[in-house]
Amino acid sequence: MVETVSFKNKAVDIAGHLHLPDAFDEEKKYPALVGIHPAGGVKEQTIGAYARRLAAHGFVSVVYDSSY
């Protein structure tokens, strides 16, 4: 399950994706990771693929596009 999220980094709006396990339960605790793409990439590419696989294995992860 993927949710679109956003947050501010100083004056810049940052777009992100929150990847949750399919059976996500707000009452439970999960291991969590924050990921950023390699130079020249975006959240939908390499880091997004890792985040999807991590979610399939029970991790919560947020990935986002870098500011600059």
Side-chain angles (χ1 to χ4, degrees), residues 9-50:
N9 178 12
K10 300 182 183 176
V12 178
D13 289 324
I14 304 294
H17 290 157
L18 178 63
H19 292 259
L20 303 169
D22 286 335
F24 180 76
D25 180 350
E26 289 187 19
E27 300 297 318
K28 293 183 179 180
K29 291 186 179 185
Y30 296 86
L33 298 162
V34 175
I36 185 69
H37 56 78
V42 294
K43 66 187 173 301
E44 291 85 2
Q45 293 176 323
T46 305
I47 196 65
Y50 285 117

